[in-house]
Amino acid sequence: MDDQTRIEIEAAAFRRLRQHLMNDRPDVQNIDLMNLAGFCRNCLSRWYQEAANERGIEMTKDEGREAYYGMPYDDWKAQNQTEANPEKQAAFEKAFAENVGKKD
C-alpha cells in the first residue's frame, strides 16, 4: 500500500469513528469513554488541534473542539452531557492523570 492510500484509509477510519461517537452514539458520555478507554471526544478534538498546529495552522482549543464537534462545545454539552456521579468523577481523575496528564 502506498503512503497516500494509507493516509486516505486512516482519514476515513477517523471520520467513521467521529460519526460513530457524534451521530450513532451521542448518548455515550465522554467521562465513560475516558474511564474505559483512556480517551474521549475532547481528546480527539485536542489531537486534531495539535495536528493542525504542528502543520502551522493556528487553532485554539475551542476552535479544535468546534471543528471536531461541529458546533461550539458548550452547545454539545447542553444537548448531550449528563451529570456524572462521584464515583465516575473519581475514576475520571485517575484516568485523566494516567492518559492525558502524561507528557513524553
Side-chain angles (χ1 to χ4, degrees), residues 1-44:
M1 179 184 309
D2 63 79
D3 283 345
Q4 185 60 37
T5 301
R6 180 186 49 77
I7 290 167
E8 290 171 7
I9 291 169
E10 290 170 351
F14 173 82
R15 288 189 299 270
R16 184 60 185 96
L17 173 62
R18 185 187 174 284
Q19 177 187 330
H20 182 75
L21 293 173
M22 300 302 295
N23 302 109
D24 301 343
R25 292 303 308 268
D27 59 307
V28 176
Q29 298 295 298
N30 276 343
I31 196 167
D32 295 325
L33 287 169
M34 180 60 81
N35 291 348
L36 291 172
F39 79 99
C40 68
R41 292 173 187 90
N42 289 337
C43 295
L44 290 165

Side-chain angles (χ1 to χ4, degrees), residues 75-98:
D75 293 351
W76 167 264
K77 287 191 323 186
Q79 291 176 23
N80 297 287
Q81 191 165 301
T82 61
E83 192 66 34
N85 65 38
E87 292 81 18
K88 283 185 182 182
Q89 290 175 357
F92 172 81
E93 293 300 325
K94 181 177 186 279
F96 187 89
E98 290 174 353

Side-chain angles (χ1 to χ4, degrees), residues 43-87:
C43 295
L44 290 165
S45 72
R46 180 173 45 88
W47 298 337
Y48 185 94
Q49 174 207 0
E50 290 170 355
N53 292 161
E54 288 169 5
R55 286 158 182 79
I57 301 167
E58 292 296 321
M59 183 177 289
T60 66
K61 177 180 173 180
D62 288 338
E63 290 169 337
R65 282 185 173 180
E66 189 162 345
Y68 183 81
Y69 283 91
M71 66 181 72
Y73 180 56
D74 287 340
D75 293 351
W76 167 264
K77 287 191 323 186
Q79 291 176 23
N80 297 287
Q81 191 165 301
T82 61
E83 192 66 34
N85 65 38
E87 292 81 18

